[in-house]
Amino acid sequence: MNKKKKYIDFEPNQRKGYPAGKSIFYECSICGDVVESRPEHFAECQCQNITVDTAGGRLTITYPEKFKIFK
């Protein structure tokens, strides 16, 4: 079953941080990879635009205008 992506609106570089959770994912508009917002371990997209450092509790987005958030 292929679920339709439900994109979440956000402001690039928002001060409150980006939405994260069990069913929230980040999609890179550069390489097309999808990264879990809360992976079990370190995760990044192929072009390294999106990096989730689970141990350090950090999300790094190199080009905020080049990614989407969806459920």
Side-chain angles (χ1 to χ4, degrees):
M1 179 179 200
N2 189 4
K3 291 184 180 181
K4 185 173 178 165
K5 294 176 183 174
K6 190 174 183 182
Y7 289 97
I8 299 170
D9 291 330
F10 68 95
E11 291 293 322
N13 294 320
Q14 58 190 28
R15 290 181 173 214
K16 296 181 197 174
Y18 296 106
K22 189 175 182 179
S23 62
I24 296 177
F25 300 88
Y26 305 135
E27 179 179 14
C28 179
S29 301
I30 299 169
C31 68
D33 279 357
V34 173
V35 178
E36 292 180 46
S37 66
R38 292 209 174 155
E40 192 173 324
H41 303 287
F42 178 89
E44 64 186 358
C45 67
Q46 189 173 355
C47 70
Q48 299 177 340
N49 179 41
I50 303 169
T51 302
V52 182
D53 179 2
T54 307
R58 286 185 293 269
L59 167 65
T60 304
I61 307 294
T62 305
Y63 301 104
E65 67 283 355
K66 300 283 186 178
F67 93 113
K68 298 177 184 178
I69 303 170
F70 69 91
K71 290 185 176 187

